[in-house]
Amino acid sequence: MPPLLVCLLLVLLLAVPRPSVAARPGAKPLLFSLRARQVPAGALPRPPSKLRFHHNVSLTVSLAVGTPPQNVTMVLDTGSELSWLLCAPGHQGSAAAAGAARDALFRPRASATCATVPCGSAQCHSRDLPVPSSCDGASRQCRVSLSYADGSTSDGALAIDVFAVGDAPPLRSAFGCMSTAYDSSPDAVATAGLLGMNRGALSFVSQARTRRFSYCISDRDDAGVLLLGHSDLLFLPLNYTPMYQPTLPLPYFDRVAYSVQLLGISVGGKTLPIPASVLAPDHTGAGHTMVDSGTQFTFLLGDAYSALKAEFLKQTRPLLPALNDPSFAFQEAFDTCFRVPAGRPPPSARLPAVTLLFKGAEMVVSGDRLLYKVPGERRGGDGVWCLTFGNADMVPITAYVIGHHHQMNVWVEYDLERGRVGLAPVKCDVASERLGLML
C-alpha cells in the first residue's frame, strides 16, 4: 500500500438501509466540493457525482463530516478498505501524526451526531479488515489498527457520524477515529484522513453502494477529476480488462483489491522475455497485479523488475549515464538510477516507453512519468534521477502494484457491475473541460 502516503487516516462508511443516492431514480448527481462547480445542464447524459482532487505525493479529495459539518481532506486510496480520520485530542486519546496540521484534524466533540461503535457491532467484526479489531475492556469500544508496507501505521476506535453527500440525506457512517498515526514518508502532506475505495464491505465504494467510479490523475496539481456513479463518456475510448478473481481463497491474494492480469511488459517496443508464470499469481495468490491509487510508483516482482532494469539500461546507455552505485536505492526499492546535470531535465522525450500489457488493454508509461528526481541527492554537479518502477522484493511486497504516478493522464474506470477496469489515455485538463469543470 501507500509508499509516500502522508498522515494515513480513514473513514468507514456504514451500510444504511436505503438505496445509494446514485442509484435512486431521478436522484440529482452527488457533488463533492474541491474547487468544482455544477455540471451544466445537458453536458452529460447522466452526470454522476464528481470530485476534484489534488495530486502531489498523494491524491486528496475533500468531504464534510459531522454536525455541523467539518471539512476534511482525505487521501484517495483504491488499495485500502477502512476509511479513517485523525481525531483531535480529547475524545479518542491524544492525536499525533507526522506533519498533521492542527486544523486538519477531525473534532468529534464538536459534532452533535458523533458516537462510538460498541464491541458487539457487526461493523467491529468485518472479515475484510487486514488486522482483526479488538475490544477496549474498560470502555467496550471497538478498536482498529492499520499498518502499510511503507511502515506507516494508525490506531484508534470506530465511531459513527454523518457524511454530507451533495443534496441527498446525510449518510450515517462509521469511521476509524484514529488517536495515533505515524507516517514514514518525509514528504508529509497535511491531510485529515484516508478514503478507502477498494471492494471490501467497509469501503466507501461498498457503503455508498457505488457500482462504478472513475478518475483522471493530472500532471498538474489541481486538474484531476473523480466521478462517482455511472456515466457514458463518449469522448473517451475506454479499453477494458477483466478483474481477476481466483475461484478459491488464497492466503496472499487480496480478494478486495482491484486485481487485473498482467500479460507482458515491453520497453521501447521490445517485449521482455518474462515467462507467463512470473506475471501470474502462484498457488498462494502471491504475484497478482493491483491498480492502487494510494501507492505513488509502480512495483514489479524481482524477476520482472530485473528484466525491465536490464533492458531499460541497455536502451538508455547512449542517452543517460547510469548512477552505478550498488549501495543506493531510492525508497529502498528503486535502484535503476541515472546522473543528470543539475538544473537540466533528463531527455524524457527520447526515453523508451514502458508498456504494461493486459488482456484487452494496455498502459503506456512514457516521457516525464519514467524518471523521478530524488530530492536532495547529488553526485558532484549531477542530480540523481531514478526509474519509477521499483523492485517489490526489496520492500517487500508480494504483488505487482500499479501506482498513481503511472496513472497520470489516463482515465481509469472501475466497473464493479461488470467486473472490469477501463483505461484510456487522455489529458486530464481537457477531460475536465469536457465534463464542465472549472480548472
Side-chain angles (χ1 to χ4, degrees), residues 34-54:
L34 181 56
R35 294 202 292 189
R37 64 178 175 84
Q38 189 75 30
V39 175
L44 290 174
R46 294 179 60 194
S49 306
K50 58 187 182 301
L51 183 63
R52 302 275 297 283
F53 58 72
H54 177 84

Side-chain angles (χ1 to χ4, degrees), residues 187-213:
D187 303 311
V189 175
T191 56
L194 184 146
L195 193 64
M197 296 286 286
N198 73 9
R199 295 185 289 168
L202 295 176
S203 74
F204 179 93
V205 173
S206 298
Q207 299 303 323
R209 301 184 185 180
T210 299
R211 302 303 296 162
R212 186 184 296 191
F213 69 96

Side-chain angles (χ1 to χ4, degrees), residues 144-294:
V144 290
S145 178
L146 301 167
S147 61
Y148 300 88
D150 67 339
S152 303
T153 59
S154 184
D155 298 277
L158 287 186
I160 300 177
D161 211 332
V162 294
F163 288 72
V165 185
D167 297 328
L171 298 174
R172 188 151 179 80
S173 308
F175 64 96
C177 190
M178 303 318 236
S179 56
T180 62
Y182 165 71
D183 176 24
S184 64
S185 166
D187 303 311
V189 175
T191 56
L194 184 146
L195 193 64
M197 296 286 286
N198 73 9
R199 295 185 289 168
L202 295 176
S203 74
F204 179 93
V205 173
S206 298
Q207 299 303 323
R209 301 184 185 180
T210 299
R211 302 303 296 162
R212 186 184 296 191
F213 69 96
S214 57
Y215 56 68
C216 191
I217 301 168
S218 178
D219 52 1
R220 295 168 47 190
D221 277 354
D222 297 304
V225 59
L226 167 68
L227 298 179
L228 300 179
H230 177 81
S231 179
D232 292 319
L233 305 175
L234 301 180
F235 64 92
L236 285 173
L238 285 165
N239 292 313
Y240 289 95
T241 185
M243 294 183 197
Y244 177 79
Q245 191 75 37
T247 54
L248 297 175
L250 300 175
Y252 291 103
F253 186 88
D254 187 347
R255 65 181 184 81
V256 294
Y258 297 105
S259 296
V260 295
Q261 183 60 64
L262 182 62
L263 299 181
I265 304 173
S266 69
V267 178
K270 180 180 179 180
T271 301
L272 299 178
I274 305 173
S277 59
V278 171
L279 300 175
D282 64 17
H283 66 284
T284 69
H288 62 296
T289 300
M290 300 185 296
V291 184
D292 183 6
S293 70

Side-chain angles (χ1 to χ4, degrees), residues 7 17 66 74 89 99 141 146 161 203 216 240 274 303 307 314 354 426 431:
C7 17
M74 306 180 73
Q141 291 179 1
L146 301 167
D161 211 332
S203 74
C216 191
Y240 289 95
I274 305 173
D303 289 346
K314 177 181 177 182
V354 177
V426 64

